[in-house]
Amino acid sequence: MPDFSLSPDLESLQDLARKFARTEMMPRAAECDRRGIFPEEIYRKAFDLGLMNLNVPAEYGGSGLGAFQQCLIVEELGYGCAGMTTSIIANCLALEPILLGGTEAQKREVLEPFCRSYHLASFGLTEPGGGSDAGSLATRARRDGEGYVLSGEKCFITNAPHASLFTVFATLDPELRHKGISAFYVPREAEGVVPGKDEEKMGHRASSTGTVRFEQVRVPAAHRLGAEGEGFPLAMRTLDMTRTPIGALATGIAQCALDHAARYSRERHSFGKPIGEHQAIQMKLAMMTSQVRAARLLTWQAATLIDAGKNATLESSVAKCFASDAAMRVSDEAIQIFGGYGYMKDYPVEKLLRDAKLTQIYEGSNEIQRIVIARELLRRYAP
Ligand code: CAA
């Protein structure tokens, strides 16, 4: 019988993230959201506390946490502010291809400086012409002497305007589709790396998202991750690891919406009693509670499989997909419980809905998650 209680060590990790979220993130969240501020001082504090580079092993200076531990932290940060959390955990996504596909020398070269002082990295897979269909990406890698030359454009890249390193997926031969794709890491100072403007987003406004162009960027062969043509499975394996924490982030948004709605249901009166005593509100709160708890358990299940070294492709997609849909449903119902106030920016719940929406889209839209889930499921039923 699985034990769902947390050990004292896990509780203190959760507590650290909770305190950081409540004391550093939440007091600034509304202002950063309203004005689209990228609060770098908060990200630096997160780095100082070991809340960044969570997946990088301690031998390279990272926090060296497993997937379950990461999920506990990310849920708490997501509760505090989803946008800030996206920027804080973007290094985990960008550095994961190096952890999975890098040689020992590459890991030491990249990860150690990253963990020694505050740096941001970005994951460059998505392109203007191909988001969900990652196998059809058009950024070209051309062999050139001892190395490669990269040309193309990536879009919707978290932290791109601030990143000092990019992991980039590019094709040596588009005719080969996914088999032509290789992965590279490229320092921002390389000639021809041109980050674009910060996008104006609906939610996650404390996070920074932008394009980055690679204009004939020379990359040494030593910066290729894995063999030529191995980039696509590396990207997929990376996302298998990082979709579960997105489920945790979404669970944090949903829990925050539920807490606001439950408190308001006790305080606000209508028809002579607190609105929480009306069954119409109780039905909503019961649904919201069930969604939050199911989302959390699904992320915990996926994370436990990852920590056990088992294949978790299906479970990661289930966790990400369910938890992000739950975050949308729960934050939508929270607004409904707040009524007209919920629609106003003076109250905290409309931000949660705007933030929840992105979790259904990034790191693979939920339509892609359902494709992955169905494929994996049918594989298990092979005759
Ligand atoms: N692990 C290892 N290998 C995998 C794999 C996995 N999870 N999934 C697929 N592969 C391998 C397959 O085995 C296959 O290998 P072979 O050719 O050797 O048989 C190869 O990859 C191609 O697989 P598919 O045939 O399944 O590929 P496909 O073209 O049909 O696409 C897809 C699959 C699931 C739709 C994929 O394109 C996908 O995940 N798309 C979404 C991309 C995405 O999530 N983007 C988000 C980017 S991050 C972000 O959001 C930005 C941010 O900053 C937050």
Side-chain angles (χ1 to χ4, degrees):
M1 166 96 176
D3 178 2
F4 295 109
S5 62
L6 299 180
S7 67
D9 280 356
L10 289 173
E11 272 181 358
S12 63
L13 202 59
Q14 188 182 45
D15 211 40
L16 173 79
R18 185 170 294 163
K19 280 206 185 90
F20 183 77
R22 310 288 162 110
T23 59
E24 301 289 344
M25 298 167 80
M26 290 178 87
R28 295 285 316 281
E31 186 204 0
C32 291
D33 173 62
R34 196 167 49 249
R35 295 175 49 206
I37 297 170
F38 183 76
E40 199 144 22
E41 66 289 355
I42 294 180
Y43 305 147
R44 286 180 185 277
K45 280 186 190 162
F47 169 81
D48 291 340
L49 279 174
L51 296 173
M52 212 175 248
N53 306 324
L54 299 171
N55 54 345
V56 178
E59 60 187 297
Y60 306 112
S63 302
L65 299 181
F68 190 87
Q69 294 165 312
Q70 290 178 46
C71 283
L72 289 181
I73 289 177
V74 173
E75 182 184 329
E76 294 304 327
L77 301 184
Y79 189 109
C81 177
M84 292 181 198
T85 307
T86 289
S87 274
I88 289 171
I89 64 173
N91 275 11
C92 297
L93 173 64
L95 299 179
E96 190 66 37
I98 296 165
L99 292 168
L100 292 173
T103 61
E104 186 56 29
Q106 288 174 324
K107 289 179 193 170
R108 296 230 168 265
E109 183 200 333
V110 178
L111 303 174
E112 285 181 356
F114 251 81
C115 297
R116 208 173 299 129
S117 55
Y118 167 84
H119 293 284
L120 297 177
S122 290
F123 180 76
L125 178 67
T126 306
E127 299 189 354
S132 291
D133 185 7
S136 73
L137 61 80
T139 295
R140 291 296 297 262
R142 186 168 47 80
R143 285 186 205 96
D144 183 58
E146 292 296 290
Y148 300 87
V149 173
L150 303 190
S151 349
E153 186 176 25
K154 302 289 176 179
C155 67
F156 307 143
I157 305 302
T158 301
N159 290 347
H162 305 267
S164 56
L165 185 90
F166 296 89
T167 39
V168 184
F169 296 83
T171 179
L172 280 154
D173 182 356
E175 301 268 293
L176 295 176
R177 286 245 338 151
H178 68 271
K179 288 188 193 296
I181 297 172
S182 300
F184 305 89
Y185 56 92
V186 182
R188 183 205 185 93
E189 67 264 19
E191 207 179 322
V193 176
V194 186
K197 71 174 175 64
D198 215 339
E199 303 282 1
E200 271 291 335
K201 300 192 296 297
M202 167 185 173
H204 289 239
R205 291 173 52 75
S207 174
S208 168
T209 308
T211 53
V212 55
R213 276 204 324 280
F214 297 91
E215 296 176 350
Q216 306 285 326
V217 178
R218 291 194 57 82
V219 178
H223 287 194
R224 193 189 66 230
L225 296 164
E228 283 187 357
E230 284 184 0
F232 188 81
L234 184 58
M236 296 297 110
R237 285 165 59 215
T238 296
L239 292 165
D240 280 352
M241 304 295 277
T242 57
R243 283 173 178 157
T244 301
I246 298 300
L249 191 161
T251 306
I253 298 174
Q255 181 68 60
C256 187
L258 172 61
D259 286 353
H260 281 300
R263 268 196 300 270
Y264 189 74
S265 301
R266 300 294 301 265
E267 289 161 8
R268 171 85 172 156
H269 286 64
S270 75
F271 302 98
K273 55 185 176 184
I275 61 170
E277 289 181 22
H278 297 305
Q279 283 195 348
I281 301 296
Q282 290 175 357
M283 297 301 116
K284 290 186 193 303
L285 291 173
M287 178 284 286
M288 292 157 79
T289 304
S290 312
Q291 290 277 312
V292 171
R293 288 171 182 235
R296 182 174 299 119
L297 287 178
L298 286 168
T299 59
W300 282 13
Q301 185 202 21
T304 303
L305 284 171
I306 292 171
D307 283 340
K310 298 197 174 139
N311 182 303
T313 302
L314 181 147
E315 288 78 7
S316 301
S317 286
V318 167
K320 190 270 187 194
C321 187
F322 186 92
S324 55
D325 285 349
M328 275 301 282
R329 260 183 99 180
V330 173
S331 51
D332 185 27
E333 288 292 23
I335 293 175
Q336 196 67 19
I337 289 172
F338 272 74
Y341 294 112
Y343 199 66
M344 302 298 147
K345 286 191 182 272
D346 288 342
Y347 285 78
V349 284
E350 60 82 34
K351 171 183 184 290
L352 298 173
L353 183 81
R354 288 186 285 108
D355 285 346
K357 186 65 207 168
L358 185 59
T359 64
Q360 290 183 310
I361 297 172
Y362 70 2
E363 298 225 12
S365 69
N366 280 4
E367 289 69 24
I368 290 294
Q369 306 310 323
R370 291 187 182 96
I371 289 171
V372 172
I373 293 163
R375 282 185 188 177
E376 289 295 311
L377 180 81
L378 293 172
R379 211 193 307 279
R380 293 175 191 190
Y381 283 83

